[in-house]
Amino acid sequence: MHSGKNHSSTGASFAEGSVAGVVIKNSIPALIAMVMVMVYNLADTFFIGLTNNDYQVSAVSYATPVFMLFMSLGTLFGVGGTSVISRALGAGKKDYAKKVSSFCMWCCVGLGLLFMIILWVFTDKFIVMLGAGEQTMEYTRTYLKIAIGCGVFSMVSNCFSNIIRTEGQPMKAMTGTLIGNLLNVILDPIMILGFKWGIAGAAIATVIGNVVSAGYYLMYFLGGKSSLSIHIKHFSAKDGICKGVVSVGISASLANMLVSVSSMVVNGQLSGAANGELLVAGYGVTSKVLMIITLIGIGIGSGVQPIVGFCYGSKNKKRLMETMRFSTIFGLAFCLVISVISFIFAGPIVKVFLTEAEAYESGIQFTRILLSTAWLIGAFVVFQNSLQAMGAATPALLASLFRQGVIFIPAVFIMKALLGVKGIIWAQPVADVLSLVVITFMLLRKLKKEDLLS
């Protein structure tokens, strides 16, 4: 393989300078954006917690899987589009890259509208599926009926916060996420506590934040500053565009969807226990803490993916392997530090959100169990994004299936039978370890097949 010439300023930014510098430069804005996503999620729970109604906290936990559906669909086109576009730019195919970005845009709009209508019409049926009990059902319905309104905007925002990075624009990618989430955080206390709208205020703030975030990305493209396109005239699903985007993106999307399914399974199992809805509230806060490490891992992976894709497309073997080695160490170290800090301060963190004694105690216990292996996400996401960047759709898909589906869901029932309620939570650490083993094997197999191992 040869190093290849730079095809654009994007190529120059990815193919020159120290690997560590390029990875950090491209990852830090993505990390900051993910931290803001985390802050926004924590703010929702925090300000709802200040109403001293832990059942409203539970309602957010029940509603989250539905909201994650839109994020998952946006991620499908964002990650799939990033993979195809970065390889196209690495090979100098700029017109093809334009068609791909337009395809992603209009698929987000079409599918977003479709799912908004379906969820709006069948809200009550979904609430029953989510497992909400009598004391949380009305709160969950209120949140969902409003939050569904940002479906298309959530998809567009999630999609293009990924795709813009292929142009070597990590700061632009970060800014769109930043302003939307920052606005959400500012509006939360005003609407939840100031206007006394409670959970409805949280949902309205979420809608406004997503609309503003999506609007920022659309203005970037409409301003003519991008070499890509969202214009309908460039839309095409031919020449392998649809297959290329969907086959790669489905693994990332499925990972998010399976998180939603997994949350529904865990919530359902916890709900059946004594004081189940308070246990769900405890698990809801635990999920937010775990999200800190998960989003950091996703941020690093998002920053690395376009670099790996460009090096793979330009056949720069040496730089590709250096990028993956450094990124793995960087991801593991970063996530480990945050996990240790979160473990030490688990008590004060959980106390911020919950007032009921049983919800608080379960929150601390659940949090410490999940943090025991959460730091492994730093390597898992880098490996998964690298497979996606190289167009290895099937291995990336299988890895997602294993982590949140094939391993995790059976583990919930097996561990519950062995350890009771606590075993439901221990299923995630089991899935973390086994899925990392699986994806490491898949990545090494791909690298060996491409003769990239040296």
Side-chain angles (χ1 to χ4, degrees), residues 138-428:
E138 192 56 42
Y139 293 130
T140 307
R141 180 185 293 110
T142 298
Y143 188 86
L144 282 179
K145 281 288 189 182
I146 299 168
I148 287 168
C150 70
V152 169
F153 302 101
S154 174
M155 285 180 63
V156 170
S157 179
N158 275 280
C159 176
F160 285 95
S161 65
N162 283 284
I163 286 177
I164 286 176
R165 292 191 187 97
T166 63
E167 297 190 277
Q169 294 282 4
M171 295 301 292
K172 293 282 186 185
M174 176 194 75
T175 303
T177 303
L178 201 65
I179 59 174
N181 287 320
L182 188 59
L183 181 59
N184 195 321
V185 172
I186 293 169
L187 291 175
D188 265 344
I190 296 171
M191 295 187 169
I192 295 171
L193 303 173
F195 295 164
K196 300 189 184 301
W197 290 347
I199 199 166
I204 293 168
T206 296
V207 172
I208 294 172
N210 276 276
V211 170
V212 171
S213 180
Y216 175 86
Y217 293 124
L218 295 179
M219 290 302 294
Y220 168 74
F221 285 101
L222 295 174
K225 299 175 183 177
S226 174
S227 61
L228 301 175
S229 173
I230 59 170
H231 200 291
I232 189 70
K233 71 179 182 182
H234 291 124
F235 177 90
S236 176
K238 299 177 182 178
D239 301 322
I241 291 175
C242 181
K243 181 181 178 182
V245 170
V246 174
S247 64
V248 172
I250 193 68
S251 60
S253 176
L254 190 62
N256 284 339
M257 288 184 185
L258 285 173
V259 168
S260 299
V261 173
S262 299
S263 295
M264 290 168 64
V265 170
V266 172
N267 286 343
Q269 292 301 303
L270 291 175
S271 294
N275 291 320
E277 294 195 343
L278 292 178
L279 293 179
V280 171
Y283 179 69
V285 172
T286 295
S287 298
K288 303 293 186 186
V289 177
L290 185 65
M291 188 182 294
I292 298 171
I293 296 94
T294 302
L295 289 174
I296 285 171
I298 291 171
I300 294 170
S302 298
V304 168
Q305 184 178 347
I307 305 171
V308 172
F310 187 90
C311 293
Y312 184 79
S314 61
K315 305 188 185 303
N316 192 335
K317 172 183 175 179
K318 182 181 178 183
R319 194 167 182 83
L320 173 65
M321 295 307 299
E322 287 176 355
T323 298
M324 290 177 58
R325 274 193 289 268
F326 174 79
S327 301
T328 302
I329 296 169
F330 179 51
L332 278 171
F334 209 133
C335 290
L336 179 59
V337 169
I338 302 300
S339 294
V340 171
I341 293 171
S342 300
F343 190 95
I344 294 170
F345 294 102
I349 291 170
V350 172
K351 195 165 188 176
V352 169
F353 303 101
L354 297 170
T355 54
E356 293 280 351
E358 187 161 354
Y360 168 70
E361 291 299 328
S362 64
I364 295 175
Q365 186 180 59
F366 294 169
T367 297
R368 287 184 169 152
I369 290 172
L370 293 185
L371 287 173
S372 64
T373 57
W375 56 281
L376 296 176
I377 194 74
F380 183 90
V381 175
V382 168
F383 291 173
Q384 185 177 42
N385 281 55
S386 296
L387 284 167
Q388 290 163 351
M390 291 186 284
T394 302
L397 174 61
L398 289 174
S400 294
L401 283 170
F402 268 79
R403 186 169 189 271
Q404 291 296 338
V406 175
I407 296 175
F408 178 78
I409 293 175
V412 168
F413 296 98
I414 294 169
M415 298 299 288
K416 181 186 178 184
L418 294 173
L419 301 173
V421 171
K422 192 188 298 183
I424 298 170
I425 311 303
W426 272 109
Q428 188 62 65

